[in-house]
PDB file of all heavy atoms in Angstrom:
ATOM      1  N   LEU A   1     -11.102-101.495  -2.737  1.00 98.00           N
ATOM      2  CA  LEU A   1     -10.918-102.745  -2.007  1.00 98.00           C
ATOM      3  C   LEU A   1      -9.916-102.534  -0.868  1.00 98.00           C
ATOM      4  O   LEU A   1      -8.769-102.165  -1.104  1.00 98.00           O
ATOM      5  CB  LEU A   1     -10.425-103.850  -2.948  1.00 98.00           C
ATOM      6  CG  LEU A   1     -11.444-104.348  -3.971  1.00 98.00           C
ATOM      7  CD1 LEU A   1     -10.785-105.253  -4.995  1.00 98.00           C
ATOM      8  CD2 LEU A   1     -12.589-105.081  -3.272  1.00 98.00           C
ATOM      9  N   LYS A   2     -10.385-102.789   0.353  1.00 98.00           N
ATOM     10  CA  LYS A   2      -9.550-102.627   1.545  1.00 98.00           C
ATOM     11  C   LYS A   2      -8.700-103.876   1.767  1.00 98.00           C
ATOM     12  O   LYS A   2      -8.934-104.931   1.179  1.00 98.00           O
ATOM     13  CB  LYS A   2     -10.429-102.364   2.768  1.00 98.00           C
ATOM     14  CG  LYS A   2     -11.290-101.109   2.659  1.00 98.00           C
ATOM     15  CD  LYS A   2     -12.098-100.888   3.937  1.00 98.00           C
ATOM     16  CE  LYS A   2     -13.106-101.999   4.159  1.00 98.00           C
ATOM     17  NZ  LYS A   2     -13.977-101.727   5.337  1.00 98.00           N
ATOM     18  N   GLY A   3      -7.706-103.731   2.672  1.00 98.00           N
ATOM     19  CA  GLY A   3      -6.783-104.825   2.930  1.00 98.00           C
ATOM     20  C   GLY A   3      -7.466-106.101   3.369  1.00 98.00           C
ATOM     21  O   GLY A   3      -7.147-107.193   2.875  1.00 98.00           O
ATOM     22  N   ASP A   4      -8.407-106.021   4.301  1.00 98.00           N
ATOM     23  CA  ASP A   4      -9.085-107.231   4.778  1.00 98.00           C
ATOM     24  C   ASP A   4      -9.865-107.903   3.656  1.00 98.00           C
ATOM     25  O   ASP A   4      -9.966-109.145   3.616  1.00 98.00           O
ATOM     26  CB  ASP A   4     -10.019-106.890   5.935  1.00 98.00           C
ATOM     27  CG  ASP A   4      -9.266-106.559   7.212  1.00 98.00           C
ATOM     28  OD1 ASP A   4      -8.057-106.849   7.279  1.00 98.00           O
ATOM     29  OD2 ASP A   4      -9.889-106.010   8.139  1.00 98.00           O
ATOM     30  N   GLU A   5     -10.420-107.102   2.751  1.00 98.00           N
ATOM     31  CA  GLU A   5     -11.159-107.665   1.621  1.00 98.00           C
ATOM     32  C   GLU A   5     -10.218-108.363   0.650  1.00 98.00           C
ATOM     33  O   GLU A   5     -10.518-109.457   0.143  1.00 98.00           O
ATOM     34  CB  GLU A   5     -11.946-106.562   0.922  1.00 98.00           C
ATOM     35  CG  GLU A   5     -13.060-105.987   1.792  1.00 98.00           C
ATOM     36  CD  GLU A   5     -13.622-104.677   1.282  1.00 98.00           C
ATOM     37  OE1 GLU A   5     -12.901-103.951   0.557  1.00 98.00           O
ATOM     38  OE2 GLU A   5     -14.783-104.366   1.620  1.00 98.00           O
ATOM     39  N   VAL A   6      -9.064-107.749   0.394  1.00 98.00           N
ATOM     40  CA  VAL A   6      -8.077-108.372  -0.493  1.00 98.00           C
ATOM     41  C   VAL A   6      -7.594-109.689   0.104  1.00 98.00           C
ATOM     42  O   VAL A   6      -7.502-110.710  -0.585  1.00 98.00           O
ATOM     43  CB  VAL A   6      -6.889-107.418  -0.728  1.00 98.00           C
ATOM     44  CG1 VAL A   6      -5.773-108.116  -1.493  1.00 98.00           C
ATOM     45  CG2 VAL A   6      -7.342-106.177  -1.476  1.00 98.00           C
ATOM     46  N   ARG A   7      -7.301-109.675   1.402  1.00 98.00           N
ATOM     47  CA  ARG A   7      -6.817-110.896   2.060  1.00 98.00           C
ATOM     48  C   ARG A   7      -7.853-112.014   1.959  1.00 98.00           C
ATOM     49  O   ARG A   7      -7.509-113.174   1.665  1.00 98.00           O
ATOM     50  CB  ARG A   7      -6.491-110.602   3.522  1.00 98.00           C
ATOM     51  CG  ARG A   7      -5.935-111.815   4.269  1.00 98.00           C
ATOM     52  CD  ARG A   7      -5.579-111.492   5.709  1.00 98.00           C
ATOM     53  NE  ARG A   7      -4.374-110.674   5.776  1.00 98.00           N
ATOM     54  CZ  ARG A   7      -4.365-109.401   6.116  1.00 98.00           C
ATOM     55  NH1 ARG A   7      -5.507-108.760   6.398  1.00 98.00           N
ATOM     56  NH2 ARG A   7      -3.238-108.729   6.180  1.00 98.00           N
ATOM     57  N   ALA A   8      -9.109-111.689   2.175  1.00 98.00           N
ATOM     58  CA  ALA A   8     -10.153-112.709   2.108  1.00 98.00           C
ATOM     59  C   ALA A   8     -10.305-113.255   0.692  1.00 98.00           C
ATOM     60  O   ALA A   8     -10.504-114.462   0.498  1.00 98.00           O
ATOM     61  CB  ALA A   8     -11.480-112.131   2.600  1.00 98.00           C
ATOM     62  N   LEU A   9     -10.215-112.397  -0.305  1.00 98.00           N
ATOM     63  CA  LEU A   9     -10.353-112.839  -1.689  1.00 98.00           C
ATOM     64  C   LEU A   9      -9.216-113.751  -2.126  1.00 98.00           C
ATOM     65  O   LEU A   9      -9.387-114.587  -3.022  1.00 98.00           O
ATOM     66  CB  LEU A   9     -10.429-111.620  -2.617  1.00 98.00           C
ATOM     67  CG  LEU A   9     -11.720-110.811  -2.544  1.00 98.00           C
ATOM     68  CD1 LEU A   9     -11.540-109.451  -3.202  1.00 98.00           C
ATOM     69  CD2 LEU A   9     -12.870-111.572  -3.194  1.00 98.00           C
ATOM     70  N   LEU A  10      -8.046-113.607  -1.510  1.00 98.00           N
ATOM     71  CA  LEU A  10      -6.880-114.407  -1.892  1.00 98.00           C
ATOM     72  C   LEU A  10      -6.626-115.578  -0.956  1.00 98.00           C
ATOM     73  O   LEU A  10      -5.697-116.357  -1.195  1.00 98.00           O
ATOM     74  CB  LEU A  10      -5.629-113.511  -1.940  1.00 98.00           C
ATOM     75  CG  LEU A  10      -5.626-112.453  -3.044  1.00 98.00           C
ATOM     76  CD1 LEU A  10      -4.358-111.614  -2.972  1.00 98.00           C
ATOM     77  CD2 LEU A  10      -5.763-113.090  -4.420  1.00 98.00           C
ATOM     78  N   GLN A  11      -7.438-115.725   0.068  1.00 97.00           N
ATOM     79  CA  GLN A  11      -7.227-116.819   1.023  1.00 97.00           C
ATOM     80  C   GLN A  11      -7.325-118.174   0.331  1.00 97.00           C
ATOM     81  O   GLN A  11      -8.294-118.466  -0.377  1.00 97.00           O
ATOM     82  CB  GLN A  11      -8.247-116.740   2.151  1.00 97.00           C
ATOM     83  CG  GLN A  11      -8.022-117.762   3.255  1.00 97.00           C
ATOM     84  CD  GLN A  11      -8.966-117.568   4.419  1.00 97.00           C
ATOM     85  OE1 GLN A  11      -9.771-116.637   4.436  1.00 97.00           O
ATOM     86  NE2 GLN A  11      -8.897-118.436   5.411  1.00 97.00           N
ATOM     87  N   GLY A  12      -6.317-119.001   0.527  1.00 97.00           N
ATOM     88  CA  GLY A  12      -6.313-120.348  -0.043  1.00 97.00           C
ATOM     89  C   GLY A  12      -6.111-120.405  -1.539  1.00 97.00           C
ATOM     90  O   GLY A  12      -6.303-121.468  -2.153  1.00 97.00           O
ATOM     91  N   GLN A  13      -5.680-119.319  -2.145  1.00 98.00           N
ATOM     92  CA  GLN A  13      -5.549-119.253  -3.601  1.00 98.00           C
ATOM     93  C   GLN A  13      -4.089-119.369  -4.064  1.00 98.00           C
ATOM     94  O   GLN A  13      -3.738-118.892  -5.129  1.00 98.00           O
ATOM     95  CB  GLN A  13      -6.131-117.933  -4.106  1.00 98.00           C
ATOM     96  CG  GLN A  13      -7.606-117.753  -3.841  1.00 98.00           C
ATOM     97  CD  GLN A  13      -8.433-118.826  -4.518  1.00 98.00           C
ATOM     98  OE1 GLN A  13      -8.274-119.094  -5.712  1.00 98.00           O
ATOM     99  NE2 GLN A  13      -9.334-119.440  -3.765  1.00 98.00           N
ATOM    100  N   GLU A  14      -3.248-120.038  -3.290  1.00 98.00           N
ATOM    101  CA  GLU A  14      -1.821-120.070  -3.614  1.00 98.00           C
ATOM    102  C   GLU A  14      -1.549-120.668  -4.996  1.00 98.00           C
ATOM    103  O   GLU A  14      -0.744-120.122  -5.769  1.00 98.00           O
ATOM    104  CB  GLU A  14      -1.049-120.845  -2.542  1.00 98.00           C
ATOM    105  CG  GLU A  14      -0.902-120.096  -1.228  1.00 98.00           C
ATOM    106  CD  GLU A  14      -2.149-120.167  -0.357  1.00 98.00           C
ATOM    107  OE1 GLU A  14      -2.983-121.077  -0.591  1.00 98.00           O
ATOM    108  OE2 GLU A  14      -2.300-119.314   0.546  1.00 98.00           O
ATOM    109  N   HIS A  15      -2.174-121.760  -5.325  1.00 98.00           N
ATOM    110  CA  HIS A  15      -1.907-122.381  -6.630  1.00 98.00           C
ATOM    111  C   HIS A  15      -2.395-121.496  -7.778  1.00 98.00           C
ATOM    112  O   HIS A  15      -1.718-121.363  -8.806  1.00 98.00           O
ATOM    113  CB  HIS A  15      -2.535-123.777  -6.698  1.00 98.00           C
ATOM    114  CG  HIS A  15      -1.849-124.792  -5.834  1.00 98.00           C
ATOM    115  ND1 HIS A  15      -0.576-125.262  -6.101  1.00 98.00           N
ATOM    116  CD2 HIS A  15      -2.250-125.411  -4.692  1.00 98.00           C
ATOM    117  CE1 HIS A  15      -0.222-126.144  -5.169  1.00 98.00           C
ATOM    118  NE2 HIS A  15      -1.226-126.241  -4.310  1.00 98.00           N
ATOM    119  N   GLU A  16      -3.564-120.882  -7.607  1.00 98.00           N
ATOM    120  CA  GLU A  16      -4.068-119.974  -8.639  1.00 98.00           C
ATOM    121  C   GLU A  16      -3.166-118.748  -8.760  1.00 98.00           C
ATOM    122  O   GLU A  16      -2.908-118.253  -9.870  1.00 98.00           O
ATOM    123  CB  GLU A  16      -5.496-119.550  -8.306  1.00 98.00           C
ATOM    124  CG  GLU A  16      -6.128-118.624  -9.337  1.00 98.00           C
ATOM    125  CD  GLU A  16      -6.241-119.257 -10.707  1.00 98.00           C
ATOM    126  OE1 GLU A  16      -6.308-120.514 -10.800  1.00 98.00           O
ATOM    127  OE2 GLU A  16      -6.249-118.498 -11.707  1.00 98.00           O
ATOM    128  N   LEU A  17      -2.653-118.262  -7.652  1.00 98.00           N
ATOM    129  CA  LEU A  17      -1.731-117.127  -7.692  1.00 98.00           C
ATOM    130  C   LEU A  17      -0.446-117.497  -8.432  1.00 98.00           C
ATOM    131  O   LEU A  17       0.077-116.697  -9.215  1.00 98.00           O
ATOM    132  CB  LEU A  17      -1.409-116.664  -6.271  1.00 98.00           C
ATOM    133  CG  LEU A  17      -2.479-115.784  -5.621  1.00 98.00           C
ATOM    134  CD1 LEU A  17      -2.328-115.775  -4.104  1.00 98.00           C
ATOM    135  CD2 LEU A  17      -2.415-114.373  -6.160  1.00 98.00           C
ATOM    136  N   MET A  18       0.067-118.683  -8.201  1.00 98.00           N
ATOM    137  CA  MET A  18       1.276-119.102  -8.917  1.00 98.00           C
ATOM    138  C   MET A  18       1.016-119.231 -10.415  1.00 98.00           C
ATOM    139  O   MET A  18       1.861-118.850 -11.236  1.00 98.00           O
ATOM    140  CB  MET A  18       1.814-120.407  -8.325  1.00 98.00           C
ATOM    141  CG  MET A  18       2.522-120.214  -6.990  1.00 98.00           C
ATOM    142  SD  MET A  18       3.337-121.714  -6.361  1.00 98.00           S
ATOM    143  CE  MET A  18       1.930-122.568  -5.637  1.00 98.00           C
ATOM    144  N   ARG A  19      -0.150-119.741 -10.769  1.00 98.00           N
ATOM    145  CA  ARG A  19      -0.479-119.815 -12.202  1.00 98.00           C
ATOM    146  C   ARG A  19      -0.590-118.413 -12.799  1.00 98.00           C
ATOM    147  O   ARG A  19      -0.137-118.167 -13.936  1.00 98.00           O
ATOM    148  CB  ARG A  19      -1.799-120.583 -12.390  1.00 98.00           C
ATOM    149  CG  ARG A  19      -1.670-122.086 -12.213  1.00 98.00           C
ATOM    150  CD  ARG A  19      -2.917-122.808 -12.655  1.00 98.00           C
ATOM    151  NE  ARG A  19      -4.032-122.590 -11.741  1.00 98.00           N
ATOM    152  CZ  ARG A  19      -4.308-123.381 -10.697  1.00 98.00           C
ATOM    153  NH1 ARG A  19      -3.539-124.422 -10.439  1.00 98.00           N
ATOM    154  NH2 ARG A  19      -5.344-123.136  -9.911  1.00 98.00           N
ATOM    155  N   THR A  20      -1.179-117.497 -12.059  1.00 98.00           N
ATOM    156  CA  THR A  20      -1.343-116.126 -12.540  1.00 98.00           C
ATOM    157  C   THR A  20       0.013-115.447 -12.715  1.00 98.00           C
ATOM    158  O   THR A  20       0.275-114.782 -13.730  1.00 98.00           O
ATOM    159  CB  THR A  20      -2.212-115.327 -11.562  1.00 98.00           C
ATOM    160  OG1 THR A  20      -3.521-115.919 -11.511  1.00 98.00           O
ATOM    161  CG2 THR A  20      -2.338-113.871 -11.980  1.00 98.00           C
ATOM    162  N   VAL A  21       0.898-115.595 -11.730  1.00 98.00           N
ATOM    163  CA  VAL A  21       2.221-114.980 -11.804  1.00 98.00           C
ATOM    164  C   VAL A  21       3.029-115.589 -12.949  1.00 98.00           C
ATOM    165  O   VAL A  21       3.722-114.869 -13.688  1.00 98.00           O
ATOM    166  CB  VAL A  21       2.941-115.127 -10.456  1.00 98.00           C
ATOM    167  CG1 VAL A  21       4.429-114.811 -10.571  1.00 98.00           C
ATOM    168  CG2 VAL A  21       2.289-114.209  -9.424  1.00 98.00           C
ATOM    169  N   ARG A  22       2.944-116.890 -13.130  1.00 98.00           N
ATOM    170  CA  ARG A  22       3.660-117.513 -14.249  1.00 98.00           C
ATOM    171  C   ARG A  22       3.149-116.968 -15.580  1.00 98.00           C
ATOM    172  O   ARG A  22       3.933-116.656 -16.488  1.00 98.00           O
ATOM    173  CB  ARG A  22       3.521-119.023 -14.205  1.00 98.00           C
ATOM    174  CG  ARG A  22       4.127-119.701 -15.428  1.00 98.00           C
ATOM    175  CD  ARG A  22       4.243-121.192 -15.310  1.00 98.00           C
ATOM    176  NE  ARG A  22       4.777-121.746 -16.546  1.00 98.00           N
ATOM    177  CZ  ARG A  22       5.341-122.939 -16.653  1.00 98.00           C
ATOM    178  NH1 ARG A  22       5.446-123.716 -15.595  1.00 98.00           N
ATOM    179  NH2 ARG A  22       5.795-123.370 -17.820  1.00 98.00           N
ATOM    180  N   ALA A  23       1.835-116.854 -15.723  1.00 98.00           N
ATOM    181  CA  ALA A  23       1.275-116.319 -16.967  1.00 98.00           C
ATOM    182  C   ALA A  23       1.738-114.885 -17.208  1.00 98.00           C
ATOM    183  O   ALA A  23       2.003-114.483 -18.352  1.00 98.00           O
ATOM    184  CB  ALA A  23      -0.252-116.384 -16.924  1.00 98.00           C
ATOM    185  N   ALA A  24       1.856-114.097 -16.141  1.00 98.00           N
ATOM    186  CA  ALA A  24       2.339-112.722 -16.282  1.00 98.00           C
ATOM    187  C   ALA A  24       3.790-112.706 -16.745  1.00 98.00           C
ATOM    188  O   ALA A  24       4.177-111.913 -17.607  1.00 98.00           O
ATOM    189  CB  ALA A  24       2.180-111.978 -14.957  1.00 98.00           C
ATOM    190  N   TYR A  25       4.623-113.555 -16.145  1.00 98.00           N
ATOM    191  CA  TYR A  25       6.017-113.657 -16.577  1.00 98.00           C
ATOM    192  C   TYR A  25       6.107-114.013 -18.063  1.00 98.00           C
ATOM    193  O   TYR A  25       6.911-113.455 -18.815  1.00 98.00           O
ATOM    194  CB  TYR A  25       6.740-114.727 -15.767  1.00 98.00           C
ATOM    195  CG  TYR A  25       7.370-114.248 -14.484  1.00 98.00           C
ATOM    196  CD1 TYR A  25       7.240-115.004 -13.307  1.00 98.00           C
ATOM    197  CD2 TYR A  25       8.125-113.081 -14.424  1.00 98.00           C
ATOM    198  CE1 TYR A  25       7.833-114.588 -12.120  1.00 98.00           C
ATOM    199  CE2 TYR A  25       8.719-112.662 -13.248  1.00 98.00           C
ATOM    200  CZ  TYR A  25       8.574-113.419 -12.096  1.00 98.00           C
ATOM    201  OH  TYR A  25       9.171-113.007 -10.930  1.00 98.00           O
ATOM    202  N   GLU A  26       5.297-114.959 -18.481  1.00 97.00           N
ATOM    203  CA  GLU A  26       5.359-115.417 -19.869  1.00 97.00           C
ATOM    204  C   GLU A  26       4.867-114.348 -20.829  1.00 97.00           C
ATOM    205  O   GLU A  26       5.417-114.169 -21.919  1.00 97.00           O
ATOM    206  CB  GLU A  26       4.575-116.720 -20.017  1.00 97.00           C
ATOM    207  CG  GLU A  26       5.244-117.887 -19.290  1.00 97.00           C
ATOM    208  CD  GLU A  26       4.433-119.168 -19.340  1.00 97.00           C
ATOM    209  OE1 GLU A  26       3.236-119.106 -19.718  1.00 97.00           O
ATOM    210  OE2 GLU A  26       4.976-120.240 -18.991  1.00 97.00           O
ATOM    211  N   ALA A  27       3.817-113.606 -20.443  1.00 97.00           N
ATOM    212  CA  ALA A  27       3.350-112.504 -21.280  1.00 97.00           C
ATOM    213  C   ALA A  27       4.418-111.427 -21.406  1.00 97.00           C
ATOM    214  O   ALA A  27       4.656-110.874 -22.488  1.00 97.00           O
ATOM    215  CB  ALA A  27       2.061-111.917 -20.705  1.00 97.00           C
TER     216      ALA A  27
END
């Protein structure tokens, strides 16, 4: 996965990213 592909996959996903990071912290 190249940088432009990663950026596109994460575009507009801020709330989902925060949920993912919180779950990682808790694990």
Side-chain angles (χ1 to χ4, degrees):
L1 290 170
K2 300 182 295 185
D4 288 346
E5 294 165 335
V6 172
R7 182 178 287 109
L9 289 165
L10 293 179
Q11 185 174 357
Q13 298 299 310
E14 287 80 19
H15 289 291
E16 181 61 26
L17 280 160
M18 285 187 279
R19 285 191 289 269
T20 297
V21 166
R22 174 169 178 160
Y25 272 136
E26 292 176 347

